[in-house]
Amino acid sequence: RKEVEQDPGPFNVPEGATVAFNCTYSNSASQSFFWYRQDCRKEPKLLMSVYSSGNEDGRFTAQLNRASQYISLLIRDSKLSDSATYLCVVTPGANAGKSTFGDGTTLTVKP
Amino acid sequence: EPEVTQTPSHQVTQMGQEVILRCVPISNHLYFYWYRQILGQKVEFLVSFYNNEISEKSEIFDDQFSVERPDGSNFTLKIRSTKLEDSAMYFCASSGGATNEKLFFGSGTQLSVL
């Protein structure tokens, strides 16, 4: 089983659609969780941290379910500029340390 | 906004040659990392560095790899005797300050081994 497993994608959605990405992780001792965004051949950029209480940043909502070892990202009212690969990232502790990246889920938003 | 800078952006080398990839982490960060991404594959952890020593490394980071912080600002990754399979994008990252768990990546060095 992969340490971090994401929806394989790709997701092709029209502008304005709501899209959800899922991620599961295998190490129950993992402590920190993130969604990063990566544009083609660019560096990953932090999109948002993920907390058990859930967190929202504008059109983006992230949720963590520790019991199920499951992380989600919801994008509402998707824009053309949301087209990218979304990376689920899990770290073992309070420090970034040996962060484990998922394979990524590619989103294409079409006009 | 402070950023991680990497040089060069592209490096082409012959198999068996040594390369040094350079990074300047964010100035108040204390933790430094190298990750790599082979084309079409996921981002993979190579090594973390704290307090002038390696704190963790992956199985990818074998004896052909080494890291160094030669002065107060630079952080380097050396690959001795490069192999074809070392061709990848190498990302430097740093973390620290108030958000120690969050990684800030440089724009990467694309290494091509011929």
Side-chain angles (χ1 to χ4, degrees), chain B residues 93-107:
Chain B
S94 67
S95 67
T99 55
N100 195 37
E101 75 280 9
K102 297 176 184 175
L103 294 169
F104 294 83
F105 284 88
S107 55

Side-chain angles (χ1 to χ4, degrees), chain A:
Chain A
R1 181 184 174 186
K2 289 182 180 179
E3 288 186 67
V4 178
E5 195 146 10
Q6 295 188 236
D7 285 337
F11 284 63
N12 296 297
V13 302
E15 266 187 296
T18 296
V19 60
F21 303 136
N22 301 310
C23 172
T24 57
Y25 60 95
S26 61
N27 184 355
S28 59
S30 300
Q31 294 198 27
S32 301
F33 310 90
F34 306 92
W35 285 101
Y36 280 73
R37 169 194 170 127
Q38 186 175 31
D39 293 288
C40 188
R41 301 188 70 75
K42 301 281 190 180
E43 74 273 23
K45 291 187 176 177
L46 180 66
L47 181 65
M48 58 198 306
S49 305
V50 190
Y51 306 113
S52 297
S53 55
N55 51 308
E56 187 173 315
D57 183 3
R59 298 180 293 107
F60 299 83
T61 301
Q63 287 277 357
L64 165 66
N65 183 322
R66 285 189 183 270
S68 304
Q69 295 178 208
Y70 169 88
I71 304 159
S72 65
L73 176 68
L74 183 77
I75 306 176
R76 289 181 298 278
D77 188 24
S78 51
K79 313 288 185 193
L80 297 176
S81 56
D82 294 333
S83 298
T85 297
Y86 291 83
L87 308 174
C88 177
V89 181
V90 175
T91 69
N95 296 325
K98 187 180 175 183
S99 293
T100 301
F101 284 69
D103 290 339
T105 302
T106 298
L107 171 67
T108 302
V109 182
K110 299 185 175 179

